[in-house]
Amino acid sequence: MLNGLNHITIAVSDVSRSFDFYVNTLGFIPKARWTSGAYLCLGNLWLCLSADTVTTGEDYTHYAFSILSEDFDVYANYLKSSGVTEWKINKSEGKSIYFLDPDGHKLEVHDGDLDSRLRACINHPYEKMEFF
């Protein structure tokens, strides 16, 4: 039986460039690196960067990282000053910044969690939303 998320692997066109972005811009902790990849950690998240041909979609798939509410504004300003490209404006509960990594993978920094999102949805549910 499944018991949680194990890891996320993303294709990257340049391991060195992505390693630098995830470690030096986003603050991931490097654990291992080799010619065609790297293992990084952020809290309990294990992220694998894997050299490959990158194709990014136009859908809403993205990866969101948590941040304390009191740290959000400073960090969002830091990301903007680092030159990230924003791909969406936040319209949901809490504060979020949506931005692209060097290969165009869609990322988000969000100051809420599932409980805060559900509380907001109880007050303003999505179309035909059902709660369990």
Side-chain angles (χ1 to χ4, degrees):
M1 178 168 269
L2 299 177
N3 63 12
L5 181 64
N6 187 277
H7 68 278
I8 295 172
T9 298
I10 59 173
V12 298
S13 61
D14 182 326
V15 172
S16 293
R17 180 180 67 168
S18 292
F19 183 92
D20 180 63
F21 176 79
Y22 281 91
V23 171
N24 297 319
T25 302
L26 298 187
F28 277 71
I29 306 300
K31 295 295 184 177
R33 183 175 177 180
W34 60 99
T35 303
S36 62
Y39 292 143
L40 312 173
C41 287
L42 186 68
N44 291 326
L45 173 62
W46 166 19
L47 178 68
C48 175
L49 306 177
S50 183
D52 202 349
T53 301
V54 177
T55 56
T56 56
E58 296 299 316
D59 61 22
Y60 189 61
T61 300
H62 67 281
Y63 309 101
F65 306 109
S66 296
I67 192 167
L68 295 174
S69 186
E70 58 265 23
D71 296 334
F72 181 86
D73 291 332
V74 170
Y75 195 76
N77 288 332
Y78 160 73
L79 287 174
K80 290 175 186 179
S81 70
S82 295
V84 298
T85 300
E86 292 184 65
W87 63 273
K88 181 182 183 228
I89 301 299
N90 185 39
K91 295 179 182 174
S92 61
E93 155 275 333
K95 293 181 180 179
S96 286
I97 180 171
Y98 298 84
F99 59 100
L100 303 176
D101 82 351
D103 283 298
H105 297 291
K106 296 173 186 170
L107 307 176
E108 175 188 3
V109 172
H110 180 65
D111 76 343
D113 58 19
L114 179 58
D115 288 337
S116 63
R117 178 62 50 87
L118 290 173
R119 284 192 303 272
C121 287
I122 287 170
N123 293 326
H124 302 286
Y126 306 142
E127 184 180 346
K128 297 184 181 181
M129 189 169 203
E130 180 178 5
F131 295 94
F132 300 96

